[in-house]
Amino acid sequence: MVVSGGPGSGKSVIALSVLGELARQNRSVMHATGSRSFTQTLRRYAGKGSTRLKNLFGYFNSFMSAERNGLDVLICDEAHRIRETSVNRFTPKARRAEARSQIDELIGAARVPVFLLDEHQVVKPGELGNVEVISSYAKQLKLDVEVVSLHGQFRCGGSETYEGWVVDLLGLDGGEPSVWTGDGKIDLRLAESPEEMEAFLASKQAPGVTARMSAGYCWPWSDPRPDDSLVPDAQVGGWSRPWNVKSDRSVGDAPGSAFWATDPNGFGQVGCVYTAQGFEYDWSGVIIGPDLVARDGHMVARREESRDPAFRSRKSVSDAEADLLIRNTYKVLLTRGMKGTIVYSTDPETREYLASMVKVIRPVETVYETAPGDDLG
């Protein structure tokens, strides 16, 4: 099964609900992702207090030597992060030679493999999970394939309109950018400075309400200092903040990278796409760096402004691939907020362009839905 849906359409809710139900039925089932942050968070919270539950959560590269059909069901969440192979620098030489494609390993590991994905969330070179690739591979194996499209929208205030606006703004599906006037569901606003953005997000923080700042990978990312403090690498004018922690180990009060989005102490560090992807928070602040600017009425990606090591080699990553990955990165960052998003661009021309594209005339409204047959008089 291949389940496709945009951010917040309920993919992970479905994945965890199915996982729990199948486990209760004593089916052999596992949940796997390609994200260390996502899997570690699930192990910490969903698997809390139980080794058996923790062991239900694994990684895509955990099935290189798995028994064929050893599981009843394998749920591959965030399947857009599937890679060509599971081989990495730690893989023994003997196993490298016999490595299969990662899709083949995942399909072979269970009687019913389930892939949940969003094709606009491929943000790293080598990620290839999409509906066509997975479906075609399964059909070559003469397997029945069922594709499910999720049209609902849970995140971003339940606003499918907002997600479409972001896709068009970023030039991802061939649509033309349009002016955002508001739809009553999501609070979108612009900041004149990172200080203004951070102050707004800080004012929204409250018990049970989460706010985070994230940015494109446009600044260096230093290791912690000898005194175990973080270096404020993300710098805009006189404002600076550190990136989220690189490793899973906390540094001072700052949580390890896997828990930046869920630990209250994640506020104050700037998250990157790799720690934000797969999560949501109530209020999202996004700094659009110099790797994506507005020119002549359209957003233009500039790979030379990216500090992501994956983009260094043009032999490994073409300009066209880098362009798409940068746009997808901001698609992810701009769709993390459930209640609202505040955006700042480091580029003056881009700030002017965004101001012309965000003119809210319909603010967020409280909508009460009545059940069929209710009579409110």
Side-chain angles (χ1 to χ4, degrees):
M1 294 190 69
V2 183
V3 182
S4 174
S9 54
K11 297 184 299 296
S12 294
V13 174
I14 290 169
L16 294 177
S17 298
V18 171
L19 179 76
E21 181 58 32
L22 291 173
R24 279 190 289 273
Q25 295 177 14
N26 291 318
R27 298 284 188 181
S28 56
V29 59
M30 278 191 69
H31 179 285
T33 80
S35 166
R36 185 183 67 184
S37 296
F38 198 28
T39 295
Q40 290 295 331
T41 298
L42 289 171
R43 285 176 173 172
R44 170 183 277 195
Y45 295 106
K48 187 176 182 181
S50 167
T51 302
R52 174 179 169 269
L53 291 178
K54 281 185 170 69
N55 289 338
L56 293 178
F57 301 101
Y59 296 98
F60 292 157
N61 62 3
S62 303
F63 300 91
M64 290 181 72
S65 55
E67 176 190 353
R68 183 164 290 275
N69 291 334
L71 295 170
D72 288 326
V73 179
L74 174 60
I75 301 168
C76 301
D77 204 353
E78 299 276 295
H80 39 265
R81 302 195 68 167
I82 287 174
R83 304 185 69 80
E84 188 173 343
T85 72
S86 298
V87 169
N88 57 40
R89 65 181 186 276
F90 302 112
T91 306
K93 187 176 180 180
R95 293 184 66 186
R96 287 172 183 264
E98 56 192 37
R100 297 177 288 151
S101 72
Q102 194 168 81
I103 291 177
D104 188 56
E105 292 169 358
L106 296 171
I107 288 177
R111 297 180 185 281
V112 182
V114 181
F115 299 89
L116 303 103
L117 58 88
D118 175 359
E119 294 178 319
H120 287 316
Q121 287 198 47
V122 174
V123 298
K124 205 171 188 178
E127 294 178 343
L128 47 77
N130 65 49
V131 174
E132 178 60 30
V133 168
I134 296 170
S135 300
S136 296
Y137 196 93
K139 286 173 183 174
Q140 286 174 22
L141 298 174
K142 294 183 168 48
L143 301 177
D144 293 331
V145 179
E146 185 168 348
V147 177
V148 179
S149 179
L150 300 177
H151 299 291
Q153 180 79 5
F154 296 167
R155 199 180 289 149
C156 307
S159 175
E160 213 167 348
T161 307
Y162 172 70
E163 190 207 348
W165 179 82
V166 170
V167 167
D168 289 343
L169 179 76
L170 297 174
L172 284 171
D173 263 353
E176 280 297 310
S178 62
V179 176
W180 175 260
T181 57
D183 69 347
K185 295 181 178 181
I186 186 80
D187 186 330
L188 175 64
R189 57 183 67 201
L190 305 176
E192 290 297 318
S193 67
E195 290 91 344
E196 179 187 331
M197 184 187 76
E198 186 176 32
F200 172 82
L201 294 172
S203 74
K204 295 295 184 182
Q205 293 253 82
V209 180
T210 52
R212 293 291 184 274
M213 297 176 291
S214 61
Y217 198 164
C218 298
W219 293 270
W221 197 334
S222 306
D223 291 324
R225 299 184 180 107
D227 65 356
D228 220 23
S229 62
L230 298 175
V231 179
D233 285 314
Q235 184 168 354
V236 181
W239 180 91
S240 62
R241 291 292 180 271
W243 288 109
N244 60 253
V245 176
K246 279 186 176 183
S247 70
D248 282 343
R249 183 182 66 86
S250 60
V251 175
D253 291 334
S257 62
F259 308 110
W260 167 84
T262 53
D263 189 306
N265 288 326
F267 189 81
Q269 305 111 50
V270 178
C272 74
V273 68
Y274 303 127
T275 44
Q277 191 172 34
F279 297 96
E280 71 261 348
Y281 15 92
D282 295 299
W283 294 92
S284 172
V286 180
I287 299 175
I288 299 178
D291 61 342
L292 187 71
V293 297
R295 297 293 184 265
D296 300 320
H298 289 88
M299 301 301 283
V300 178
R302 302 195 299 186
R303 77 177 290 167
E304 67 275 8
E305 297 290 346
S306 175
R307 293 298 190 103
D308 193 327
F311 291 171
R312 285 176 185 156
S313 169
R314 278 184 162 81
K315 285 185 177 179
S316 301
V317 181
S318 69
D319 285 344
E321 289 172 314
D323 180 280
L324 178 60
L325 294 172
I326 289 170
R327 293 173 193 273
N328 279 351
T329 290
Y330 285 104
K331 162 63 162 48
V332 171
L333 298 182
L334 288 166
T335 53
R336 299 302 93 191
M338 293 187 291
K339 293 183 177 178
T341 300
I342 182 167
V343 182
Y344 171 77
S345 171
T346 60
D347 177 68
E349 189 173 335
T350 306
R351 289 199 296 274
E352 285 185 27
Y353 173 70
L354 291 174
S356 72
M357 301 302 287
V358 179
K359 295 185 180 295
V360 178
I361 58 176
R362 184 182 176 187
V364 174
E365 306 155 358
T366 302
V367 178
Y368 297 96
E369 294 185 357
T370 59
D374 281 0
D375 184 1
L376 301 181

